Every structure is written in C-alpha cells, then in structure tokens.
Amino acid sequence: MISQTPSFARRHALRFTGLALAAIVASCATAPSHVSNIPASDQTASALPLVNALRAKNGLPPLKIDTAASTAAIYQARRMADAGKMEHLIGIGDDFGKRVKSSGVKLPAAENIAEGQKSVDAAVTAWINSPKHLHNMLGKYDGLGVALAYTPSSGDKPYWSMVLSSN
C-alpha cells in the first residue's frame, strides 16, 4: 500500500517553503523604511483653487483641504519616487483602500498620480486632460490632498499624487 501522507522531511520542506513565501509577500507589501526620508511637499493649498475652479465650472461644490488625504498623497508620492515609477500599486499585496485608510482617509476615495510635471499647475492640467483623472476630480468627494516627491536616485523626477476623499 502506498501512503498518501507526505514524509516527515517533505512536510517540513513544504512548511518552510510556505513560510518563506509568506515572508517574501509580506516584505513586498510593506513600505520601505527609508520612504519617509524622501523629499516631499504638501501641494494641496496650491492645487485646491485649480481643482475648485474646475468643479465650479461643472456646477459642483468646492473641495476642502483634508489633512488625512494630504498625508496619504505624500506617502504615495514618496513611494513612487522611491520606486522610480508611476504606479498606484507598488509591491505584491498593495491595496489602495487599506493604504489610504491607514492614513485616516474616509472612503470612498480616489487617487490621481503623475510624473514629470514641473509645477502643480502642470500636474493638475495633465489630470484635467486625462478622462479618468478628470472623472475623479469631478466625483462626489469632499476633501483633497496633493503631494510632490522626488529623489536624486530618480534624477529628481517629480512624482505627484492626489487623493480625493469623503468626509
């Protein structure tokens, strides 16, 4: 009769492999510790009049500065600058909802990202000229946070993040 139970050594090898895989996934989903040292600035006060003018032209109420959304935007801009790429999700297991909620952002929320624009005006204009980003800015949100980050390792390329939040 052939046993259907794996041998002792095989069970331990499988267990070790599973634990190693879980550790790798967890490390990819965790923010690098040096992200907080990446130069970043809160650009919400500069972006707010531009976004509110757009909303007013479309008969929508103005947004307000949301400090939690600003915190989430700064964190995302730093993550992109650190990774040297413009992406909403960075690393295995990344989750937008969990990420912004951890900054205190109330859902529903949306995120616009951009790279390379040299000013807040240019970043907001790029978002306005993109149908999906425009849709976010005209959505049923109350709060706004906008941030800029860059690193010398990415050639000081500007990385932008906008978080729209519900209050």
Side-chain angles (χ1 to χ4, degrees):
M1 180 188 312
I2 298 175
S3 172
Q4 293 186 8
T5 306
S7 70
F8 179 78
R10 186 169 174 202
R11 278 195 314 257
H12 285 286
L14 288 171
R15 185 176 297 143
F16 175 76
T17 302
L19 291 172
L21 182 59
I24 290 168
V25 169
S27 69
C28 290
T30 305
S33 60
H34 62 281
V35 167
S36 63
N37 296 327
I38 292 173
S41 60
D42 185 342
Q43 298 289 313
T44 309
S46 298
L48 189 64
L50 303 170
V51 175
N52 281 340
L54 169 71
R55 289 176 64 85
K57 286 180 191 174
N58 287 276
L60 297 169
L63 301 176
K64 295 177 238 157
I65 292 176
D66 179 347
T67 56
S70 295
T71 299
I74 288 169
Y75 181 68
Q76 178 62 10
R78 282 180 167 150
R79 285 170 17 111
M80 292 187 303
D82 181 55
K85 58 186 173 182
M86 181 185 72
E87 290 187 17
H88 291 281
L89 303 177
I90 300 172
I92 297 171
D94 194 5
D95 180 283
F96 169 73
K98 288 179 184 176
R99 178 167 36 87
V100 297
K101 280 175 59 177
S102 72
S103 294
V105 173
K106 294 181 181 169
L107 300 178
E111 177 177 76
N112 289 347
I113 57 175
E115 70 177 348
Q117 292 79 10
K118 302 292 184 194
S119 69
V120 70
D121 292 347
V124 171
T125 298
W127 289 322
I128 289 170
N129 291 329
S130 166
K132 289 182 181 180
H133 295 105
L134 176 63
H135 177 77
N136 285 345
M137 291 187 292
L138 298 177
K140 294 182 181 182
Y141 300 107
D142 304 303
L144 181 71
V146 178
L148 162 66
Y150 56 89
T151 62
S153 65
S154 66
D156 288 331
K157 180 188 285 185
Y159 288 90
W160 297 87
S161 178
M162 170 188 282
V163 175
L164 299 126
S165 63
S166 301
N167 288 329

